[in-house]
Amino acid sequence: WLESLEELMSMPEDTLVLPAHNLPFYGVRTRLRQLIDHHEDRLLAIEENCPEPRVATDFLPVLFKRKLEGANMMMALGEALAHLQLLIYRNRIKRTVDEQGAWRFVSIDPTLDKRRHQADHDKPGEESVMV
């Protein structure tokens, strides 16, 4: 998904965007940059919050401020797992399986200390991020 956003950055800035959610707008590259930066920030926040092995649900408060229930909980967990899978692909975290068969995630990137900026992260919002 992030790679596809990067590919769309070549579109003219004055392209009319007709999103599935919200109103049409101009300024596609500006919005794409906002989305990319937001998700990169969330990825780093996840990395910073797993110096010790943690399960996927432990990252929900990192990504979301609001209370999650029902279908929202499942969608949020899916988003957390997608972020975790990307971090595995980037060799920034490792997934193991504990004695109970639960996946555990832990930061492994030695460059994390140089990249961290916990105080400066986007705060998880009450509302869903408009995509």
Side-chain angles (χ1 to χ4, degrees):
W1 183 74
L2 288 172
E3 286 176 6
S4 69
L5 296 182
E6 290 287 355
E7 289 175 18
L8 292 171
M9 291 292 283
S10 63
M11 295 179 67
E13 183 66 4
D14 62 352
T15 301
L16 175 62
V17 179
L18 304 171
H21 305 284
N22 306 312
L23 297 173
F25 65 93
Y26 293 95
V28 65
R29 289 194 303 249
T30 299
R31 182 64 182 131
L32 290 169
R33 179 55 43 209
Q34 290 169 344
L35 289 169
I36 293 165
D37 291 349
H38 170 77
H39 283 280
E40 291 296 340
D41 179 76
R42 300 290 76 212
L43 289 163
L44 182 56
I46 288 171
E47 278 187 89
E48 291 173 351
N49 280 279
C50 63
E52 301 296 328
R54 299 180 71 184
V55 296
T57 54
D58 292 337
F59 301 104
L60 294 179
V62 174
L63 297 173
F64 305 97
K65 183 178 178 182
R66 68 189 179 281
K67 182 177 179 173
L68 300 167
E69 305 179 301
N72 284 339
M73 172 68 84
M74 294 308 296
M75 288 188 292
L77 184 55
E79 185 168 338
L81 287 167
H83 281 76
L84 290 162
Q85 285 299 119
L86 179 56
L87 288 166
I88 290 169
Y89 175 77
R90 290 180 175 179
N91 293 315
R92 295 209 172 140
I93 64 169
K94 174 175 75 171
R95 184 183 78 192
T96 58
V97 179
D98 69 15
E99 306 81 39
Q100 290 80 36
W103 288 349
R104 299 257 174 200
F105 302 90
V106 64
S107 295
I108 60 167
D109 188 348
T111 69
L112 178 59
D113 283 339
K114 293 177 186 172
R115 295 181 297 110
R116 84 172 54 241
H117 58 86
Q118 286 179 318
D120 297 328
H121 284 299
D122 297 339
K123 299 295 182 215
E126 289 287 340
E127 302 299 321
S128 298
V129 173
M130 293 183 188
V131 179

